[in-house]
Amino acid sequence: QVGFDKVAVKVQYPGVANSIDSDLNNLQSLLVMSKLLPRGMYLDNSIRVARRELHWECDYQREADAMTKFGTLLADDPVFVVPRLVSDLSSKMVLTAEFMDGAHLKHAEGYSQEIRDYIGTHIMRLCLQELFDFEFMQTDPNWANFLYNEHTGKIALLDFGASRSFDKSFLDKYLCVLKAAMDGDREACRHWSKELGFLTGYEADVMTQAHVDSVLEIGKPFRATGIYDFGNQDVSSNVRSAIPVMLRHRLTPPPEETYSLHRKLSGAFLLCIKLRARVPCQDLFKGITSKYTFSDGAQLVY
């Protein structure tokens, strides 16, 4: 009746959802008393975001809705497939869906260069589409949430508990930041970072420089014309080198949306690095963002 004969069933252990708040409160107290974390970590914000997202992850009805939404959004996609929900056998604590065949991408290093390029290219495409086409993103970058089927060439998506939407005003400004990074425009990076809330305008020069440097590094794959070789990159190490400065001199916490968004983007970058994938990042960026319509009706023209 449902069109498939094998299902996967996820059952939540009783009491998990109810323990989230107390567990996080205990963790926060321990970290505050230990004084292990620098001020720039803004622990209160991190805990608040984690609390919200963990409650999302434990709401299987919310996840079922997100799975159904992604199934609709990707219904005609040539590469990505989404399990079909068995709603009659699902509830707030039980999720039943179509069983998907394939190998976790954490095992994909052994594939040929052609397949690794294929996987990396479409993972990057999906991230950009989620942001600037769907405006709805599955933000958990766990590589086990993607299954590659060698026989069909399809990539199955799993685990939609961390899915979320973004306000249009946030996406408008975030796209301006990425566009400035792609263009290598330091002043535009600084301006739009302030507009978005990464900076206050009162930071020490060393902080502003470190932030802009890290943004430009993230934009490096999109700045490269043609194919960007993630097997020969220094983005991750360059961004890491700026973190200590930002932790010491940051005056405001990052926008809350970026906690989950950057987790997903960094996961996509790290997967491409692990696969040593060669990806046409600039072409993907321009092709997807040129169709994005800003709140004022404007569009990017390349």
Side-chain angles (χ1 to χ4, degrees):
Q1 184 178 2
V2 294
F4 47 90
D5 57 8
K6 289 197 296 183
V7 298
V9 181
K10 181 162 71 169
V11 180
Q12 187 176 132
Y13 191 82
V16 168
N18 294 331
S19 69
I20 291 173
D21 290 334
S22 60
D23 288 350
L24 286 177
N25 290 340
N26 291 336
L27 174 63
Q28 185 171 11
S29 298
L30 177 64
L31 292 173
V32 169
M33 288 187 294
S34 68
K35 298 182 180 180
L36 291 174
L37 298 181
R39 182 185 61 83
M41 282 292 292
Y42 288 95
L43 180 62
D44 287 349
N45 285 63
S46 300
I47 292 291
R48 182 170 61 253
V49 171
R51 190 187 309 277
R52 181 185 64 218
E53 294 184 357
L54 286 170
H55 278 294
W56 284 353
E57 292 270 11
C58 288
D59 185 348
Y60 288 1
Q61 183 56 61
R62 184 182 185 277
E63 180 174 355
D65 293 341
M67 180 189 298
T68 301
K69 182 169 184 174
F70 266 106
T72 300
L73 291 169
L74 294 168
D76 298 320
D77 193 273
V79 175
F80 293 105
V81 291
V82 176
R84 288 170 285 180
L85 176 71
V86 185
S87 56
D88 291 346
L89 300 177
S90 299
S91 67
K92 193 173 179 64
M93 295 180 62
V94 177
L95 186 65
T96 307
E98 178 182 9
F99 183 88
M100 309 301 284
D101 289 308
H104 294 158
L105 292 191
K106 62 184 179 182
H107 303 307
E109 285 180 286
Y111 291 140
S112 68
Q113 183 70 57
E114 180 182 8
I115 293 177
R116 286 185 278 120
D117 293 347
Y118 172 86
I119 293 172
T121 295
H122 287 291
I123 292 295
M124 189 63 67
R125 169 178 68 85
L126 179 62
C127 280
L128 294 171
Q129 277 189 294
E130 286 176 303
L131 270 179
F132 302 118
D133 183 5
F134 305 158
E135 300 179 16
F136 188 70
M137 175 177 267
Q138 191 282 91
T139 63
D140 185 348
N142 187 341
W143 297 338
N145 290 340
F146 304 89
L147 301 179
Y148 176 67
N149 190 316
E150 295 183 59
H151 303 293
T152 65
K154 301 283 189 179
I155 300 174
L157 305 181
L158 308 176
D159 194 347
F160 299 89
S163 300
R164 61 161 300 164
S165 58
F166 297 96
D167 289 340
K168 191 74 171 175
S169 60
F170 170 82
L171 290 175
D172 286 356
K173 295 170 186 175
Y174 195 80
L175 177 52
C176 289
V177 171
L178 288 184
K179 173 67 164 53
M182 186 189 75
D183 292 339
D185 187 334
R186 294 189 67 88
E187 176 54 29
C189 281
R190 185 205 62 77
H191 169 77
W192 287 110
S193 292
K194 181 174 179 291
E195 290 294 309
L196 195 55
F198 280 112
L199 301 172
T200 66
Y202 297 101
E203 283 78 11
D205 289 344
V206 66
M207 167 61 196
T208 302
Q209 179 175 328
H211 172 80
V212 172
D213 285 347
S214 66
V215 173
L216 290 173
E217 284 297 320
I218 293 170
K220 189 179 288 185
F222 305 113
R223 195 155 60 246
T225 57
I227 300 296
Y228 183 79
D229 185 357
F230 279 93
N232 184 29
Q233 61 79 43
D234 55 5
V235 171
S236 53
S237 59
N238 290 343
V239 170
R240 278 198 302 271
S241 68
I243 290 176
V245 173
M246 292 190 285
L247 287 177
R248 283 196 301 271
H249 297 283
R250 178 180 283 155
L251 298 181
T252 187
E256 287 196 3
E257 297 92 338
T258 62
Y259 285 80
S260 53
L261 169 54
H262 285 176
R263 185 174 66 231
K264 176 63 175 283
L265 287 180
S266 63
F269 272 50
L270 290 172
L271 176 60
C272 288
I273 292 169
K274 178 182 176 72
L275 297 179
R276 304 181 304 284
R278 301 173 302 189
V279 179
C281 292
Q282 187 180 108
D283 289 344
L284 291 173
F285 184 85
K286 288 182 175 180
I288 291 169
T289 60
S290 63
K291 300 173 185 176
Y292 178 81
T293 302
F294 289 86
S295 299
D296 63 0
Q299 290 184 305
L300 292 175
V301 177
Y302 294 104

